[in-house]
Amino acid sequence: LGTPMVGGLLRMAASPAVSRVVPKGVEHGRLRRRFPGLEAGRFRHPLDEATTRAVQRSAVGALEPLVRRQAVPFLEELVFFDNLASSVQVGPSQLPDLHASLVQAASILDVAPPALYVKQNPQPNAYTLAVRGSKPFIVVHTSLLDLMTPEEVQAVLAHELGHLKCEHGIWLTLANLAQAGLGSLPIVGDLLASTSQQSLMEWQRAAEFSCDRASLLVAQDPTTVVSALLKLVGGSASSQPLSAEAFLDQARAYDEAVKNATLPVRRTVEMSLSPRTHPLPVTRVAELDRWASSPEFHGILARGVDLSSSS
């Protein structure tokens, strides 16, 4: 049924050369918090939230139990064997610091930690099936771990946990089924399917905004998440240090430039986005910057408990 693999931050990656991913309760001079009972709706981007609800309430939403019972177990089993055969499975005795980082991020978001695998690949990327089935997982490529600090790697893991928490794989699969049905209609089918495809891509980009928010809820410092994005845009293991603050300024400048652009230019920019599965990096940073200063984000923080608290 084509359940999509959902990739995170820009399409993220990882490497076994992790230097001391030791989770800490205090980062950037402040005590971090976790969020017992956190629901995905609390951090979903508005477009992601609205479209997910529309699919849930539609006729195709009735197929959710079927997808969960039949498609998901089959796909999970296939990917499980591939991961086990061709990746390094992370755990308490294999890359234990990376495992501890995942467990901590999952605790903050109040989601069960999935299996984590590291796969050799020169393209920095990470992905998940984005379904909380019997074998949930995250795969990270080796190159991402080489590229990022431990805090940035945890932000990447949090992004993928956001996909799992929102179960984007289930709802995007159902939306794809609906689109396939539209395409089979006589006369108007192609037009409706084309319109549906555009809406699907907008939704997929909005889903990335939701998961960037999950990254921020774990990092609780926008600079960490922005820095991870920045390295995926233009970083290398041997390059000079990049400035997250300068990239934030760049994102704000882009935001302002788009607002002040002529209508034809704005529409051309919008058209260039239509085939993309992920938003532009500067757009993601601008969205994250806005949410980091929002009452919504600070309200979630205020209702959290100290990360070191066991109750």
Side-chain angles (χ1 to χ4, degrees):
L1 293 177
T3 302
M5 294 287 186
V6 181
L9 250 69
L10 257 186
R11 286 195 182 278
M12 316 219 94
S15 135
V18 180
S19 57
R20 296 296 298 162
V21 183
V22 181
K24 300 179 177 65
V26 178
E27 302 287 355
H28 310 287
R30 59 184 290 176
L31 189 67
R32 285 198 291 167
R33 306 178 76 78
R34 58 185 180 86
F35 311 106
L38 177 70
E39 295 180 358
R42 296 291 307 284
F43 63 85
R44 278 188 192 266
H45 186 272
L47 179 58
D48 182 15
E49 176 77 5
T51 315
T52 301
R53 284 185 178 177
V55 172
Q56 288 172 334
R57 294 169 181 170
S58 70
V60 79
L63 295 175
E64 179 200 349
L66 180 66
V67 171
R68 288 189 186 276
R69 281 197 314 268
Q70 296 188 16
V72 169
F74 175 73
L75 288 167
E76 279 191 323
E77 197 76 9
L78 284 179
V79 179
F80 170 73
F81 281 111
D82 179 66
N83 287 336
L84 213 56
S86 60
S87 309
V88 173
Q89 185 170 11
V90 177
S93 59
Q94 182 74 274
L95 300 174
D97 293 337
L98 185 57
H99 176 257
S101 181
L102 171 70
V103 170
Q104 185 184 72
S107 171
I108 292 172
L109 294 175
D110 195 22
V111 62
L116 177 60
Y117 300 91
V118 172
K119 184 168 285 193
Q120 185 68 243
N121 195 301
Q123 174 65 47
N125 194 22
Y127 56 88
T128 176
L129 195 60
V131 178
R132 284 183 281 172
S134 62
K135 294 182 174 68
F137 69 89
I138 293 172
V139 173
V140 288
H141 291 166
T142 51
S143 49
L144 186 130
L145 295 177
D146 289 331
L147 186 63
M148 297 191 177
T149 67
E151 292 78 17
E152 292 161 356
V153 169
Q154 189 178 59
V156 173
L157 295 176
H159 181 104
E160 300 307 320
L161 288 170
H163 279 304
L164 279 165
K165 184 94 174 173
C166 294
E167 290 204 293
H168 284 134
I170 285 283
W171 304 114
L172 285 167
T173 294
L174 290 171
N176 274 304
L177 285 172
Q179 184 196 0
L182 287 175
S184 66
L185 294 175
I187 305 175
V188 297
D190 288 345
L191 176 60
L192 290 173
S194 175
T195 303
S196 174
Q197 177 63 25
Q198 187 173 0
S199 298
L200 267 176
M201 300 304 284
E202 289 176 1
W203 180 14
Q204 199 163 343
R205 291 191 292 270
E208 297 304 319
F209 290 140
S210 297
C211 297
D212 289 344
R213 293 177 173 191
S215 286
L216 181 58
L217 285 172
V218 169
Q220 294 166 36
D221 171 41
T223 303
T224 299
V225 185
V226 171
S227 180
L229 274 168
L230 178 56
K231 286 184 177 179
L232 289 167
V233 173
S236 72
S238 59
S239 67
Q240 292 183 342
L242 298 168
S243 169
E245 286 299 326
F247 196 55
L248 267 170
D249 289 340
Q250 180 181 330
R252 291 166 187 150
Y254 175 85
D255 214 25
E256 191 65 26
V258 169
K259 288 177 186 174
N260 295 330
T262 62
L263 184 59
V265 169
R266 283 204 306 274
R267 286 189 171 165
T268 302
V269 170
E270 289 167 3
M271 287 174 60
S272 72
L273 286 176
S274 59
R276 296 177 64 101
T277 60
H278 286 56
L280 294 170
V282 289
T283 306
R284 294 174 72 171
V285 169
E287 279 280 341
L288 194 69
D289 186 36
R290 281 191 288 271
W291 199 65
S293 58
S294 70
E296 183 183 3
F297 171 63
H298 288 281
I300 295 174
L301 284 184
R303 284 186 284 272
V305 299
D306 289 348
L307 185 54
S308 57
S309 169
S310 59
S311 59

Short mmCIF file of all heavy atoms in Angstrom, two decimals, residues 243-295:
data_model
loop_
_atom_site.label_atom_id
_atom_site.label_comp_id
_atom_site.label_asym_id
_atom_site.label_seq_id
_atom_site.Cartn_x
_atom_site.Cartn_y
_atom_site.Cartn_z
N SER A 243 27.64 29.57 11.96
CA SER A 243 26.92 30.35 12.97
C SER A 243 25.41 30.12 12.83
O SER A 243 24.81 30.50 11.82
CB SER A 243 27.22 31.84 12.81
OG SER A 243 26.33 32.61 13.60
N ALA A 244 24.81 29.52 13.85
CA ALA A 244 23.36 29.33 13.85
C ALA A 244 22.64 30.67 13.91
O ALA A 244 21.60 30.86 13.27
CB ALA A 244 22.95 28.44 15.03
N GLU A 245 23.20 31.62 14.66
CA GLU A 245 22.57 32.94 14.76
C GLU A 245 22.56 33.65 13.41
O GLU A 245 21.57 34.28 13.04
CB GLU A 245 23.31 33.79 15.81
CG GLU A 245 23.05 33.38 17.24
CD GLU A 245 21.58 33.50 17.62
OE1 GLU A 245 20.90 34.43 17.11
OE2 GLU A 245 21.09 32.67 18.40
N ALA A 246 23.67 33.53 12.67
CA ALA A 246 23.73 34.16 11.34
C ALA A 246 22.71 33.52 10.40
O ALA A 246 22.10 34.20 9.57
CB ALA A 246 25.14 34.05 10.77
N PHE A 247 22.52 32.19 10.53
CA PHE A 247 21.55 31.52 9.67
C PHE A 247 20.12 31.90 10.06
O PHE A 247 19.25 32.01 9.20
CB PHE A 247 21.74 30.00 9.77
CG PHE A 247 21.06 29.23 8.66
CD1 PHE A 247 21.31 29.51 7.33
CD2 PHE A 247 20.16 28.22 8.95
CE1 PHE A 247 20.69 28.80 6.31
CE2 PHE A 247 19.52 27.51 7.94
CZ PHE A 247 19.80 27.80 6.61
N LEU A 248 19.88 32.12 11.35
CA LEU A 248 18.58 32.64 11.79
C LEU A 248 18.32 34.00 11.16
O LEU A 248 17.22 34.29 10.68
CB LEU A 248 18.54 32.74 13.31
CG LEU A 248 17.97 31.56 14.09
CD1 LEU A 248 18.23 31.73 15.58
CD2 LEU A 248 16.48 31.39 13.82
N ASP A 249 19.35 34.87 11.16
CA ASP A 249 19.21 36.18 10.52
C ASP A 249 18.92 36.01 9.03
O ASP A 249 18.11 36.76 8.46
CB ASP A 249 20.49 36.99 10.71
CG ASP A 249 20.69 37.46 12.15
OD1 ASP A 249 19.68 37.48 12.90
OD2 ASP A 249 21.83 37.77 12.53
N GLN A 250 19.58 35.05 8.39
CA GLN A 250 19.35 34.77 6.98
C GLN A 250 17.90 34.34 6.74
O GLN A 250 17.26 34.77 5.78
CB GLN A 250 20.31 33.68 6.50
CG GLN A 250 20.17 33.30 5.03
CD GLN A 250 21.15 32.17 4.66
OE1 GLN A 250 22.23 32.07 5.23
NE2 GLN A 250 20.76 31.36 3.69
N ALA A 251 17.38 33.49 7.63
CA ALA A 251 16.00 33.03 7.50
C ALA A 251 15.02 34.18 7.68
O ALA A 251 14.01 34.28 6.95
CB ALA A 251 15.72 31.94 8.54
N ARG A 252 15.29 35.08 8.63
CA ARG A 252 14.41 36.23 8.83
C ARG A 252 14.45 37.16 7.62
O ARG A 252 13.42 37.72 7.22
CB ARG A 252 14.83 36.98 10.10
CG ARG A 252 14.56 36.20 11.38
CD ARG A 252 15.28 36.79 12.58
NE ARG A 252 15.14 35.94 13.75
CZ ARG A 252 16.06 35.86 14.71
NH1 ARG A 252 17.19 36.57 14.64
NH2 ARG A 252 15.85 35.07 15.76
N ALA A 253 15.65 37.30 7.04
CA ALA A 253 15.78 38.14 5.85
C ALA A 253 14.99 37.54 4.68
O ALA A 253 14.35 38.27 3.91
CB ALA A 253 17.26 38.28 5.47
N TYR A 254 15.03 36.22 4.54
CA TYR A 254 14.28 35.54 3.48
C TYR A 254 12.79 35.75 3.69
O TYR A 254 12.04 36.05 2.75
CB TYR A 254 14.61 34.05 3.45
CG TYR A 254 13.79 33.25 2.46
CD1 TYR A 254 14.18 33.17 1.12
CD2 TYR A 254 12.63 32.59 2.86
CE1 TYR A 254 13.42 32.46 0.20
CE2 TYR A 254 11.86 31.88 1.95
CZ TYR A 254 12.26 31.81 0.63
OH TYR A 254 11.50 31.11 -0.27
N ASP A 255 12.34 35.57 4.93
CA ASP A 255 10.94 35.75 5.27
C ASP A 255 10.46 37.15 4.88
O ASP A 255 9.40 37.33 4.29
CB ASP A 255 10.76 35.52 6.77
CG ASP A 255 9.43 34.89 7.12
OD1 ASP A 255 8.86 34.21 6.25
OD2 ASP A 255 8.98 35.07 8.27
N GLU A 256 11.27 38.14 5.21
CA GLU A 256 10.92 39.52 4.91
C GLU A 256 10.93 39.78 3.40
O GLU A 256 10.06 40.47 2.87
CB GLU A 256 11.92 40.47 5.61
CG GLU A 256 11.52 41.93 5.60
CD GLU A 256 10.24 42.21 6.39
OE1 GLU A 256 9.92 41.44 7.31
OE2 GLU A 256 9.56 43.20 6.07
N ALA A 257 11.92 39.19 2.71
CA ALA A 257 12.01 39.37 1.26
C ALA A 257 10.79 38.79 0.54
O ALA A 257 10.28 39.38 -0.41
CB ALA A 257 13.29 38.72 0.74
N VAL A 258 10.33 37.63 1.01
CA VAL A 258 9.15 37.01 0.39
C VAL A 258 7.91 37.89 0.61
O VAL A 258 7.10 38.09 -0.30
CB VAL A 258 8.91 35.60 0.96
CG1 VAL A 258 7.55 35.05 0.53
CG2 VAL A 258 10.02 34.65 0.50
N LYS A 259 7.78 38.44 1.81
CA LYS A 259 6.63 39.30 2.10
C LYS A 259 6.61 40.53 1.21
O LYS A 259 5.55 41.01 0.81
CB LYS A 259 6.66 39.74 3.57
CG LYS A 259 6.34 38.64 4.56
CD LYS A 259 6.48 39.14 5.99
CE LYS A 259 6.29 38.01 7.00
NZ LYS A 259 6.57 38.46 8.39
N ASN A 260 7.80 41.06 0.90
CA ASN A 260 7.90 42.30 0.13
C ASN A 260 8.01 42.06 -1.38
O ASN A 260 8.05 43.02 -2.15
CB ASN A 260 9.11 43.11 0.60
CG ASN A 260 8.95 43.59 2.03
OD1 ASN A 260 7.82 43.83 2.50
ND2 ASN A 260 10.06 43.72 2.76
N ALA A 261 8.06 40.82 -1.80
CA ALA A 261 8.21 40.51 -3.23
C ALA A 261 6.92 40.79 -3.98
O ALA A 261 5.82 40.83 -3.40
CB ALA A 261 8.61 39.04 -3.40
N THR A 262 7.06 40.99 -5.28
CA THR A 262 5.88 41.20 -6.11
C THR A 262 5.07 39.90 -6.19
O THR A 262 5.60 38.81 -5.96
CB THR A 262 6.28 41.63 -7.52
OG1 THR A 262 7.04 40.59 -8.13
CG2 THR A 262 7.09 42.92 -7.49
N LEU A 263 3.81 40.01 -6.55
CA LEU A 263 2.94 38.83 -6.62
C LEU A 263 3.48 37.78 -7.60
O LEU A 263 3.50 36.59 -7.27
CB LEU A 263 1.52 39.26 -7.00
CG LEU A 263 0.47 38.14 -7.04
CD1 LEU A 263 0.35 37.47 -5.67
CD2 LEU A 263 -0.88 38.70 -7.48
N PRO A 264 3.93 38.18 -8.82
CA PRO A 264 4.48 37.16 -9.72
C PRO A 264 5.67 36.41 -9.14
O PRO A 264 5.81 35.20 -9.32
CB PRO A 264 4.87 37.96 -10.97
CG PRO A 264 4.03 39.19 -10.92
CD PRO A 264 3.88 39.50 -9.47
N VAL A 265 6.54 37.12 -8.43
CA VAL A 265 7.71 36.48 -7.82
C VAL A 265 7.27 35.51 -6.73
O VAL A 265 7.76 34.38 -6.64
CB VAL A 265 8.70 37.53 -7.26
CG1 VAL A 265 9.76 36.87 -6.39
CG2 VAL A 265 9.34 38.30 -8.39
N ARG A 266 6.33 35.94 -5.89
CA ARG A 266 5.85 35.07 -4.82
C ARG A 266 5.23 33.80 -5.38
O ARG A 266 5.44 32.71 -4.87
CB ARG A 266 4.83 35.81 -3.93
CG ARG A 266 5.45 36.80 -2.96
CD ARG A 266 4.56 37.05 -1.76
NE ARG A 266 3.22 37.47 -2.12
CZ ARG A 266 2.86 38.74 -2.37
NH1 ARG A 266 3.79 39.70 -2.30
NH2 ARG A 266 1.62 39.05 -2.68
N ARG A 267 4.44 33.95 -6.44
CA ARG A 267 3.80 32.77 -7.03
C ARG A 267 4.82 31.83 -7.67
O ARG A 267 4.67 30.61 -7.62
CB ARG A 267 2.75 33.21 -8.05
CG ARG A 267 1.51 33.78 -7.37
CD ARG A 267 0.38 34.02 -8.32
NE ARG A 267 -0.85 34.36 -7.60
CZ ARG A 267 -1.91 34.90 -8.17
NH1 ARG A 267 -1.90 35.15 -9.47
NH2 ARG A 267 -2.98 35.18 -7.46
N THR A 268 5.87 32.41 -8.26
CA THR A 268 6.91 31.58 -8.85
C THR A 268 7.64 30.79 -7.77
O THR A 268 7.94 29.61 -7.93
CB THR A 268 7.92 32.44 -9.63
OG1 THR A 268 7.22 33.17 -10.66
CG2 THR A 268 9.00 31.58 -10.28
N VAL A 269 7.91 31.45 -6.64
CA VAL A 269 8.56 30.78 -5.51
C VAL A 269 7.66 29.65 -5.00
O VAL A 269 8.13 28.54 -4.72
CB VAL A 269 8.87 31.78 -4.37
CG1 VAL A 269 9.31 31.05 -3.11
CG2 VAL A 269 9.95 32.77 -4.81
N GLU A 270 6.36 29.92 -4.88
CA GLU A 270 5.42 28.89 -4.41
C GLU A 270 5.37 27.71 -5.37
O GLU A 270 5.33 26.55 -4.93
CB GLU A 270 4.02 29.50 -4.26
CG GLU A 270 3.89 30.47 -3.08
CD GLU A 270 2.61 31.28 -3.13
OE1 GLU A 270 1.79 31.04 -4.05
OE2 GLU A 270 2.42 32.15 -2.26
N MET A 271 5.40 27.97 -6.66
CA MET A 271 5.38 26.90 -7.65
C MET A 271 6.64 26.04 -7.57
O MET A 271 6.60 24.83 -7.77
CB MET A 271 5.23 27.47 -9.07
CG MET A 271 3.84 28.00 -9.36
SD MET A 271 3.74 28.82 -10.97
CE MET A 271 4.21 27.48 -12.06
N SER A 272 7.77 26.67 -7.27
CA SER A 272 9.02 25.91 -7.17
C SER A 272 9.02 24.96 -5.99
O SER A 272 9.75 23.98 -5.95
CB SER A 272 10.22 26.87 -7.06
OG SER A 272 10.25 27.50 -5.79
N LEU A 273 8.17 25.25 -4.99
CA LEU A 273 8.08 24.40 -3.80
C LEU A 273 7.22 23.17 -4.02
O LEU A 273 7.35 22.16 -3.31
CB LEU A 273 7.50 25.19 -2.63
CG LEU A 273 8.38 26.23 -1.96
CD1 LEU A 273 7.58 26.96 -0.89
CD2 LEU A 273 9.61 25.57 -1.34
N SER A 274 6.30 23.22 -4.99
CA SER A 274 5.25 22.20 -5.11
C SER A 274 5.77 20.77 -5.19
O SER A 274 5.13 19.87 -4.64
CB SER A 274 4.32 22.51 -6.29
OG SER A 274 5.05 22.55 -7.49
N PRO A 275 6.91 20.47 -5.87
CA PRO A 275 7.34 19.08 -5.92
C PRO A 275 8.19 18.64 -4.72
O PRO A 275 8.58 17.49 -4.63
CB PRO A 275 8.16 19.01 -7.21
CG PRO A 275 8.74 20.38 -7.36
CD PRO A 275 7.72 21.31 -6.77
N ARG A 276 8.48 19.54 -3.80
CA ARG A 276 9.40 19.23 -2.71
C ARG A 276 8.68 18.49 -1.58
O ARG A 276 7.57 18.86 -1.20
CB ARG A 276 10.03 20.51 -2.15
CG ARG A 276 10.93 21.27 -3.11
CD ARG A 276 11.44 22.55 -2.46
NE ARG A 276 12.29 22.26 -1.32
CZ ARG A 276 13.62 22.30 -1.33
NH1 ARG A 276 14.26 22.58 -2.44
NH2 ARG A 276 14.30 22.04 -0.24
N THR A 277 9.34 17.46 -1.03
CA THR A 277 8.78 16.77 0.14
C THR A 277 9.12 17.49 1.43
O THR A 277 8.45 17.30 2.45
CB THR A 277 9.33 15.34 0.24
OG1 THR A 277 10.76 15.39 0.36
CG2 THR A 277 8.95 14.52 -0.99
N HIS A 278 10.18 18.31 1.42
CA HIS A 278 10.61 19.04 2.61
C HIS A 278 10.58 20.54 2.31
O HIS A 278 10.87 20.96 1.19
CB HIS A 278 12.04 18.64 3.01
CG HIS A 278 12.12 17.29 3.65
ND1 HIS A 278 11.64 16.14 3.05
CD2 HIS A 278 12.62 16.90 4.86
CE1 HIS A 278 11.85 15.11 3.86
NE2 HIS A 278 12.43 15.55 4.96
N PRO A 279 10.25 21.36 3.31
CA PRO A 279 10.27 22.81 3.11
C PRO A 279 11.70 23.30 2.88
O PRO A 279 12.67 22.60 3.19
CB PRO A 279 9.71 23.37 4.42
CG PRO A 279 9.13 22.20 5.15
CD PRO A 279 9.85 20.99 4.67
N LEU A 280 11.82 24.50 2.36
CA LEU A 280 13.14 25.12 2.22
C LEU A 280 13.77 25.26 3.60
O LEU A 280 13.09 25.58 4.57
CB LEU A 280 13.02 26.50 1.57
CG LEU A 280 12.53 26.54 0.12
CD1 LEU A 280 12.25 27.98 -0.29
CD2 LEU A 280 13.57 25.92 -0.80
N PRO A 281 15.08 25.05 3.70
CA PRO A 281 15.74 25.16 5.01
C PRO A 281 15.50 26.49 5.71
O PRO A 281 15.23 26.53 6.92
CB PRO A 281 17.22 24.96 4.67
CG PRO A 281 17.21 24.13 3.43
CD PRO A 281 16.01 24.58 2.65
N VAL A 282 15.57 27.60 4.96
CA VAL A 282 15.36 28.90 5.61
C VAL A 282 13.92 29.05 6.09
O VAL A 282 13.66 29.69 7.12
CB VAL A 282 15.73 30.07 4.66
CG1 VAL A 282 17.23 30.16 4.47
CG2 VAL A 282 15.01 29.98 3.33
N THR A 283 12.97 28.44 5.38
CA THR A 283 11.58 28.49 5.81
C THR A 283 11.39 27.70 7.09
O THR A 283 10.67 28.12 8.01
CB THR A 283 10.66 27.92 4.72
OG1 THR A 283 10.91 28.60 3.49
CG2 THR A 283 9.20 28.07 5.10
N ARG A 284 12.07 26.57 7.19
CA ARG A 284 11.98 25.75 8.40
C ARG A 284 12.54 26.50 9.60
O ARG A 284 11.97 26.47 10.70
CB ARG A 284 12.72 24.43 8.20
CG ARG A 284 12.08 23.56 7.16
CD ARG A 284 12.90 22.33 6.88
NE ARG A 284 12.86 21.39 7.98
CZ ARG A 284 13.35 20.16 7.92
NH1 ARG A 284 13.93 19.74 6.80
NH2 ARG A 284 13.28 19.35 8.95
N VAL A 285 13.64 27.18 9.38
CA VAL A 285 14.27 27.93 10.48
C VAL A 285 13.37 29.09 10.89
O VAL A 285 13.19 29.36 12.09
CB VAL A 285 15.67 28.42 10.05
CG1 VAL A 285 16.21 29.42 11.07
CG2 VAL A 285 16.62 27.23 9.93
N ALA A 286 12.77 29.79 9.91
CA ALA A 286 11.87 30.89 10.24
C ALA A 286 10.65 30.40 11.01
O ALA A 286 10.23 31.02 12.00
CB ALA A 286 11.44 31.61 8.96
N GLU A 287 10.08 29.26 10.60
CA GLU A 287 8.94 28.67 11.31
C GLU A 287 9.33 28.30 12.74
O GLU A 287 8.58 28.53 13.69
CB GLU A 287 8.45 27.42 10.56
CG GLU A 287 7.55 27.72 9.38
CD GLU A 287 6.11 28.00 9.79
OE1 GLU A 287 5.71 27.64 10.91
OE2 GLU A 287 5.40 28.60 8.97
N LEU A 288 10.49 27.69 12.87
CA LEU A 288 10.96 27.28 14.19
C LEU A 288 11.20 28.49 15.08
O LEU A 288 10.88 28.47 16.27
CB LEU A 288 12.26 26.47 14.03
CG LEU A 288 12.73 25.69 15.26
CD1 LEU A 288 11.80 24.52 15.54
CD2 LEU A 288 14.15 25.18 15.03
N ASP A 289 11.76 29.54 14.50
CA ASP A 289 12.03 30.78 15.23
C ASP A 289 10.73 31.36 15.78
O ASP A 289 10.65 31.78 16.94
CB ASP A 289 12.73 31.76 14.29
CG ASP A 289 13.18 33.03 15.00
OD1 ASP A 289 13.61 32.93 16.18
OD2 ASP A 289 13.11 34.11 14.39
N ARG A 290 9.68 31.36 14.93
CA ARG A 290 8.39 31.89 15.38
C ARG A 290 7.80 31.04 16.50
O ARG A 290 7.30 31.57 17.49
CB ARG A 290 7.41 31.96 14.19
CG ARG A 290 7.62 33.14 13.27
CD ARG A 290 6.48 33.30 12.29
NE ARG A 290 6.50 32.26 11.28
CZ ARG A 290 7.15 32.36 10.12
NH1 ARG A 290 7.86 33.45 9.84
NH2 ARG A 290 7.11 31.37 9.23
N TRP A 291 7.87 29.72 16.33
CA TRP A 291 7.25 28.84 17.34
C TRP A 291 8.02 28.90 18.66
O TRP A 291 7.42 28.79 19.73
CB TRP A 291 7.18 27.40 16.83
CG TRP A 291 6.18 26.58 17.59
CD1 TRP A 291 4.82 26.76 17.62
CD2 TRP A 291 6.45 25.45 18.44
NE1 TRP A 291 4.23 25.81 18.43
CE2 TRP A 291 5.20 25.00 18.94
CE3 TRP A 291 7.62 24.78 18.81
CZ2 TRP A 291 5.10 23.90 19.81
CZ3 TRP A 291 7.51 23.69 19.66
CH2 TRP A 291 6.27 23.27 20.15
N ALA A 292 9.34 29.10 18.59
CA ALA A 292 10.15 29.16 19.81
C ALA A 292 9.78 30.34 20.70
O ALA A 292 10.02 30.30 21.92
CB ALA A 292 11.64 29.23 19.45
N SER A 293 9.20 31.38 20.11
CA SER A 293 8.81 32.54 20.91
C SER A 293 7.30 32.60 21.13
O SER A 293 6.79 33.60 21.63
CB SER A 293 9.28 33.83 20.22
OG SER A 293 8.74 33.94 18.92
N SER A 294 6.60 31.52 20.78
CA SER A 294 5.14 31.52 20.87
C SER A 294 4.65 31.13 22.26
O SER A 294 5.31 30.37 22.98
CB SER A 294 4.55 30.54 19.84
OG SER A 294 4.83 29.20 20.23
N PRO A 295 3.48 31.61 22.66
CA PRO A 295 2.87 31.17 23.93
C PRO A 295 2.62 29.66 23.95
O PRO A 295 2.67 29.03 25.01
CB PRO A 295 1.54 31.95 23.98
CG PRO A 295 1.73 33.11 23.06
CD PRO A 295 2.67 32.64 21.99
#
